[in-house]
Amino acid sequence: MSHNHCHDDHHDHDHSSSEEMGIQYNLYQKIDKDNLQCLNESIEGSGKTVFKPWDKRLDRTNFVESDADEELLFNIPFTGNVKLKGIRIASEDTEYHPNKLRLFKNRPNMTFDDVTMDPDQVFELQRDSESLLEYSPKVVTFSSVSHLTMHFPSNFGADTTKIYYIGLRGEWTPGHRHGVTICTYEARPNLDDHKLKHLDSVSRHIN
């Protein structure tokens, strides 16, 4: 079943496409890294290091390993709205590789207590040490994502899970929510000012 959801780029493209892939897999630049959370990471801050440039996808210097058990949970806020089109994951070709990915859209600050709810999409992962496989999120569901939660509940049998690279491909647009909030806020005092002036003129007229 999983072959319907992913494909092996190794056969679809020649080596000259690597630069193009680097351009496509640039959503790591649009992540609000200061507010990115990785729960159950064995080393604090290591979860952030797996979101890196395409040409660093095979780099084994920085990686995240789970701590108490095999679960990892990433809360990923973006600096705007994202239309998510592709996900790639690199780990070891061993039991430490995660075997499932559960995606949740626009649910900030999720914890392990929250992951019992139904995810927006689930992928059965295959072992992939070179980011050859791409998993395709449902376009309709993941067309306006301001926050993405990635839950890796299990692996291929190890006590802990390791991830070296998570690549996200898609389109980014600036978020407009903040601007709308400011406009609404500014409109209200103008109305209030107008009413107050009106009341003042009435009271002065009576006096």
Side-chain angles (χ1 to χ4, degrees), residues 78-82 144-146 172-180:
F78 294 104
T79 57
N81 289 316
V82 166
S144 182
V145 182
S146 58
W172 176 89
T173 53
H176 296 296
R177 290 174 303 166
H178 189 56
V180 171

Side-chain angles (χ1 to χ4, degrees), residues 13-130:
H13 301 282
D14 58 23
H15 293 294
S16 64
S17 68
S18 184
E19 186 176 336
E20 180 191 331
M21 291 302 298
I23 295 171
Q24 290 187 15
Y25 270 84
N26 65 350
L27 282 184
Y28 72 93
Q29 298 174 337
K30 306 301 184 183
I31 295 173
D32 180 0
K33 286 282 187 72
D34 290 338
N35 292 305
L36 186 151
Q37 299 172 320
C38 180
L39 305 188
N40 198 38
E41 57 186 2
S42 58
I43 300 173
E44 186 175 351
S46 58
K48 298 179 181 184
T49 67
V50 303
F51 298 92
K52 50 194 173 186
W54 173 254
D55 59 4
K56 302 286 188 186
R57 68 191 184 283
L58 303 180
D59 183 3
R60 296 292 183 255
T61 310
N62 295 313
F63 63 92
V64 62
E65 184 173 1
S66 61
D67 187 19
D69 52 32
E70 70 273 24
E71 286 189 83
L72 282 170
L73 180 65
F74 292 87
N75 284 313
I76 308 162
F78 294 104
T79 57
N81 289 316
V82 166
K83 181 185 290 185
L84 188 61
K85 295 182 174 181
I87 298 172
R88 291 178 186 247
I89 295 151
S91 180
E92 298 177 353
D93 190 13
T94 65
E95 295 178 342
Y96 290 96
H97 196 298
N99 67 354
K100 184 177 287 188
L101 167 59
R102 304 168 77 242
L103 294 181
F104 298 87
K105 170 193 169 185
N106 297 342
R107 296 183 180 274
N109 304 311
M110 284 186 68
T111 67
F112 288 112
D113 292 333
D114 301 319
V115 296
T116 53
M117 67 177 73
D118 291 334
D120 292 297
Q121 192 165 0
V122 179
F123 291 106
E124 300 292 331
L125 304 180
Q126 300 175 39
R127 298 188 198 193
D128 183 2
S129 60
E130 300 181 30

